[in-house]
Amino acid sequence: MGIPVNQFGIPQYPHDDARRLFVLACAIDLLERPTPSALDDLTGIDRTIIDEAVQKLCEQYGMTIHKFGDAYRIESWGDILNKDGVQKIMRPAA
């Protein structure tokens, strides 16, 4: 059974799936103004857990993500994650 996608074609991975965090990282990188509301709209990840998910990306995967006002910016993908590889998570296999 395949992973469902939302109206924007973004995979909707289960809540305990690490790929869900990777989708969030890609969305932060993709959006011009990645606020919790914009990230929720694009990814389907509830805006109330965005801060916690960003913290997990930083702690568990070594990313450096800053919040300026209510918008996030990726400073570094760290040593663990490969940006190009992670971006493939946003495009489910055809």
Side-chain angles (χ1 to χ4, degrees):
M1 182 162 102
I3 299 293
V5 297
N6 68 11
Q7 70 270 24
F8 301 111
I10 305 299
Q12 300 299 289
Y13 296 107
H15 293 281
D16 61 348
D17 191 318
R19 294 174 293 181
R20 194 169 163 84
L21 294 174
F22 302 160
V23 164
L24 177 60
C26 290
I28 291 169
D29 191 55
L30 175 71
L31 291 172
E32 183 176 329
R33 193 165 177 346
T35 64
S37 293
L39 292 166
D40 181 346
D41 290 344
L42 179 62
T43 67
I45 299 172
D46 191 297
R47 72 179 130 237
T48 63
I49 65 165
I50 298 285
D51 282 338
E52 178 184 336
V54 167
Q55 185 176 354
K56 283 183 185 179
L57 283 166
C58 295
E59 289 176 1
Q60 296 178 12
Y61 297 99
M63 292 185 74
T64 303
I65 303 173
H66 298 288
K67 190 172 184 182
F68 299 98
D70 61 349
Y72 297 94
R73 290 285 177 241
I74 296 174
E75 179 181 316
S76 169
W77 285 80
D79 294 330
I80 297 171
L81 299 178
N82 173 289
K83 179 180 175 179
D84 293 331
V86 171
Q87 287 177 333
K88 292 178 184 177
I89 296 297
M90 289 275 279
R91 299 179 299 264

Short mmCIF file of all heavy atoms in Angstrom, two decimals, residues 10-41:
data_model
loop_
_atom_site.label_atom_id
_atom_site.label_comp_id
_atom_site.label_asym_id
_atom_site.label_seq_id
_atom_site.Cartn_x
_atom_site.Cartn_y
_atom_site.Cartn_z
N ILE A 10 2.06 16.19 -1.49
CA ILE A 10 3.03 15.96 -0.42
C ILE A 10 2.66 14.67 0.31
O ILE A 10 1.53 14.53 0.78
CB ILE A 10 3.04 17.14 0.59
CG1 ILE A 10 3.28 18.47 -0.12
CG2 ILE A 10 4.07 16.90 1.70
CD1 ILE A 10 4.59 18.59 -0.85
N PRO A 11 3.61 13.74 0.43
CA PRO A 11 3.33 12.48 1.13
C PRO A 11 2.92 12.73 2.58
O PRO A 11 3.48 13.60 3.25
CB PRO A 11 4.66 11.73 1.07
CG PRO A 11 5.44 12.37 -0.01
CD PRO A 11 4.99 13.79 -0.08
N GLN A 12 1.96 11.97 3.04
CA GLN A 12 1.45 12.09 4.41
C GLN A 12 1.93 10.88 5.21
O GLN A 12 1.19 9.93 5.43
CB GLN A 12 -0.08 12.17 4.39
CG GLN A 12 -0.60 13.37 3.61
CD GLN A 12 -0.15 14.68 4.20
OE1 GLN A 12 -0.61 15.08 5.26
NE2 GLN A 12 0.76 15.38 3.51
N TYR A 13 3.19 10.92 5.61
CA TYR A 13 3.79 9.82 6.36
C TYR A 13 3.18 9.74 7.75
O TYR A 13 2.73 10.75 8.30
CB TYR A 13 5.31 10.02 6.45
CG TYR A 13 6.00 9.97 5.10
CD1 TYR A 13 6.49 11.12 4.50
CD2 TYR A 13 6.14 8.76 4.43
CE1 TYR A 13 7.11 11.07 3.26
CE2 TYR A 13 6.75 8.71 3.19
CZ TYR A 13 7.24 9.86 2.61
OH TYR A 13 7.84 9.81 1.38
N PRO A 14 3.18 8.55 8.34
CA PRO A 14 2.65 8.41 9.71
C PRO A 14 3.40 9.29 10.69
O PRO A 14 4.56 9.67 10.48
CB PRO A 14 2.89 6.93 10.02
CG PRO A 14 3.04 6.26 8.70
CD PRO A 14 3.63 7.28 7.78
N HIS A 15 2.76 9.61 11.80
CA HIS A 15 3.32 10.51 12.81
C HIS A 15 4.65 10.04 13.37
O HIS A 15 5.48 10.86 13.76
CB HIS A 15 2.33 10.74 13.95
CG HIS A 15 1.12 11.49 13.51
ND1 HIS A 15 1.12 12.85 13.34
CD2 HIS A 15 -0.12 11.07 13.17
CE1 HIS A 15 -0.06 13.25 12.92
NE2 HIS A 15 -0.85 12.19 12.80
N ASP A 16 4.89 8.74 13.43
CA ASP A 16 6.14 8.22 14.01
C ASP A 16 7.19 7.91 12.95
O ASP A 16 8.19 7.28 13.24
CB ASP A 16 5.85 6.97 14.85
CG ASP A 16 5.23 5.84 14.05
OD1 ASP A 16 4.80 6.07 12.89
OD2 ASP A 16 5.15 4.72 14.58
N ASP A 17 7.01 8.38 11.74
CA ASP A 17 7.92 8.11 10.62
C ASP A 17 8.88 9.29 10.47
O ASP A 17 8.45 10.45 10.35
CB ASP A 17 7.09 7.91 9.35
CG ASP A 17 7.87 7.37 8.18
OD1 ASP A 17 9.02 7.82 7.96
OD2 ASP A 17 7.35 6.51 7.46
N ALA A 18 10.18 9.02 10.47
CA ALA A 18 11.18 10.08 10.35
C ALA A 18 11.03 10.88 9.06
O ALA A 18 11.35 12.07 9.01
CB ALA A 18 12.59 9.49 10.43
N ARG A 19 10.51 10.25 8.02
CA ARG A 19 10.34 10.96 6.75
C ARG A 19 9.40 12.16 6.89
O ARG A 19 9.49 13.12 6.12
CB ARG A 19 9.83 10.01 5.66
CG ARG A 19 10.87 8.94 5.32
CD ARG A 19 10.32 7.93 4.38
NE ARG A 19 9.26 7.15 5.03
CZ ARG A 19 8.59 6.15 4.44
NH1 ARG A 19 8.84 5.84 3.18
NH2 ARG A 19 7.66 5.49 5.10
N ARG A 20 8.54 12.12 7.88
CA ARG A 20 7.65 13.25 8.16
C ARG A 20 8.48 14.50 8.52
O ARG A 20 8.18 15.61 8.08
CB ARG A 20 6.72 12.86 9.30
CG ARG A 20 5.55 13.74 9.51
CD ARG A 20 4.62 13.02 10.49
NE ARG A 20 3.66 13.92 11.05
CZ ARG A 20 2.53 14.26 10.47
NH1 ARG A 20 2.20 13.74 9.31
NH2 ARG A 20 1.71 15.10 11.05
N LEU A 21 9.53 14.29 9.31
CA LEU A 21 10.43 15.40 9.65
C LEU A 21 11.18 15.88 8.41
O LEU A 21 11.42 17.08 8.24
CB LEU A 21 11.43 14.96 10.71
CG LEU A 21 10.86 14.64 12.09
CD1 LEU A 21 11.96 14.08 12.99
CD2 LEU A 21 10.23 15.86 12.71
N PHE A 22 11.54 14.96 7.54
CA PHE A 22 12.27 15.34 6.33
C PHE A 22 11.38 16.17 5.41
O PHE A 22 11.85 17.12 4.77
CB PHE A 22 12.79 14.11 5.60
CG PHE A 22 13.71 13.25 6.43
CD1 PHE A 22 13.94 11.93 6.09
CD2 PHE A 22 14.35 13.72 7.58
CE1 PHE A 22 14.77 11.12 6.84
CE2 PHE A 22 15.18 12.92 8.34
CZ PHE A 22 15.40 11.61 7.96
N VAL A 23 10.09 15.83 5.33
CA VAL A 23 9.14 16.63 4.56
C VAL A 23 9.10 18.05 5.12
O VAL A 23 9.09 19.02 4.37
CB VAL A 23 7.74 15.97 4.57
CG1 VAL A 23 6.66 16.95 4.11
CG2 VAL A 23 7.73 14.73 3.69
N LEU A 24 9.09 18.16 6.44
CA LEU A 24 9.09 19.48 7.07
C LEU A 24 10.33 20.27 6.69
O LEU A 24 10.25 21.44 6.33
CB LEU A 24 8.97 19.35 8.59
CG LEU A 24 9.03 20.65 9.38
CD1 LEU A 24 7.89 21.59 8.99
CD2 LEU A 24 9.02 20.35 10.87
N ALA A 25 11.49 19.63 6.75
CA ALA A 25 12.75 20.32 6.39
C ALA A 25 12.69 20.80 4.94
O ALA A 25 13.08 21.93 4.64
CB ALA A 25 13.94 19.39 6.61
N CYS A 26 12.20 19.96 4.05
CA CYS A 26 12.09 20.35 2.64
C CYS A 26 11.13 21.52 2.47
O CYS A 26 11.39 22.43 1.67
CB CYS A 26 11.62 19.17 1.81
SG CYS A 26 12.84 17.87 1.65
N ALA A 27 10.04 21.51 3.20
CA ALA A 27 9.06 22.59 3.11
C ALA A 27 9.66 23.91 3.60
O ALA A 27 9.42 24.96 3.01
CB ALA A 27 7.80 22.24 3.89
N ILE A 28 10.43 23.84 4.68
CA ILE A 28 11.09 25.05 5.19
C ILE A 28 12.01 25.61 4.12
O ILE A 28 12.07 26.81 3.88
CB ILE A 28 11.87 24.76 6.49
CG1 ILE A 28 10.89 24.47 7.63
CG2 ILE A 28 12.79 25.93 6.85
CD1 ILE A 28 11.54 23.92 8.89
N ASP A 29 12.73 24.72 3.44
CA ASP A 29 13.67 25.13 2.39
C ASP A 29 12.94 25.67 1.16
O ASP A 29 13.40 26.60 0.52
CB ASP A 29 14.54 23.93 2.02
CG ASP A 29 15.71 24.31 1.14
OD1 ASP A 29 16.49 25.20 1.54
OD2 ASP A 29 15.85 23.71 0.05
N LEU A 30 11.79 25.11 0.87
CA LEU A 30 11.04 25.44 -0.35
C LEU A 30 10.25 26.75 -0.26
O LEU A 30 10.25 27.55 -1.19
CB LEU A 30 10.07 24.29 -0.66
CG LEU A 30 9.10 24.48 -1.82
CD1 LEU A 30 9.86 24.42 -3.14
CD2 LEU A 30 8.03 23.40 -1.78
N LEU A 31 9.60 26.95 0.86
CA LEU A 31 8.70 28.11 0.99
C LEU A 31 9.46 29.42 1.15
O LEU A 31 10.49 29.47 1.82
CB LEU A 31 7.77 27.93 2.18
CG LEU A 31 6.71 26.83 2.05
CD1 LEU A 31 5.99 26.62 3.38
CD2 LEU A 31 5.73 27.17 0.95
N GLU A 32 8.93 30.46 0.57
CA GLU A 32 9.54 31.78 0.69
C GLU A 32 9.42 32.30 2.12
O GLU A 32 10.33 32.93 2.65
CB GLU A 32 8.86 32.76 -0.27
CG GLU A 32 9.47 34.14 -0.26
CD GLU A 32 8.85 35.06 -1.30
OE1 GLU A 32 8.42 34.55 -2.35
OE2 GLU A 32 8.79 36.28 -1.05
N ARG A 33 8.27 32.05 2.75
CA ARG A 33 8.04 32.48 4.13
C ARG A 33 7.46 31.31 4.91
O ARG A 33 6.24 31.18 5.05
CB ARG A 33 7.07 33.66 4.14
CG ARG A 33 7.00 34.37 5.46
CD ARG A 33 6.33 35.72 5.34
NE ARG A 33 6.10 36.55 6.47
CZ ARG A 33 6.15 36.27 7.75
NH1 ARG A 33 6.47 35.09 8.15
NH2 ARG A 33 5.88 37.16 8.69
N PRO A 34 8.34 30.43 5.38
CA PRO A 34 7.89 29.20 6.06
C PRO A 34 7.46 29.43 7.51
O PRO A 34 8.20 29.16 8.46
CB PRO A 34 9.10 28.29 5.96
CG PRO A 34 10.27 29.20 5.90
CD PRO A 34 9.79 30.44 5.19
N THR A 35 6.25 29.92 7.67
CA THR A 35 5.66 30.10 9.00
C THR A 35 4.97 28.80 9.40
O THR A 35 4.70 27.95 8.54
CB THR A 35 4.62 31.23 8.98
OG1 THR A 35 3.55 30.84 8.13
CG2 THR A 35 5.23 32.54 8.52
N PRO A 36 4.66 28.62 10.67
CA PRO A 36 3.94 27.41 11.07
C PRO A 36 2.64 27.20 10.28
O PRO A 36 2.34 26.08 9.86
CB PRO A 36 3.67 27.63 12.56
CG PRO A 36 4.83 28.47 13.01
CD PRO A 36 5.07 29.41 11.85
N SER A 37 1.90 28.26 10.03
CA SER A 37 0.65 28.13 9.27
C SER A 37 0.91 27.70 7.83
O SER A 37 0.21 26.84 7.30
CB SER A 37 -0.13 29.45 9.27
OG SER A 37 -0.59 29.75 10.56
N ALA A 38 1.90 28.30 7.20
CA ALA A 38 2.23 27.94 5.82
C ALA A 38 2.74 26.50 5.74
O ALA A 38 2.40 25.76 4.81
CB ALA A 38 3.27 28.91 5.26
N LEU A 39 3.54 26.11 6.72
CA LEU A 39 4.07 24.74 6.74
C LEU A 39 2.94 23.74 6.96
O LEU A 39 2.90 22.68 6.33
CB LEU A 39 5.14 24.61 7.83
CG LEU A 39 6.42 25.39 7.54
CD1 LEU A 39 7.28 25.50 8.79
CD2 LEU A 39 7.20 24.75 6.40
N ASP A 40 2.01 24.07 7.85
CA ASP A 40 0.83 23.23 8.10
C ASP A 40 0.03 23.09 6.81
O ASP A 40 -0.34 21.97 6.41
CB ASP A 40 -0.01 23.86 9.20
CG ASP A 40 -1.25 23.06 9.57
OD1 ASP A 40 -1.66 22.14 8.84
OD2 ASP A 40 -1.84 23.37 10.62
N ASP A 41 -0.23 24.19 6.13
CA ASP A 41 -1.02 24.16 4.90
C ASP A 41 -0.38 23.29 3.83
O ASP A 41 -1.06 22.52 3.16
CB ASP A 41 -1.21 25.57 4.33
CG ASP A 41 -2.12 26.45 5.17
OD1 ASP A 41 -2.87 25.91 6.02
OD2 ASP A 41 -2.09 27.68 4.98
#
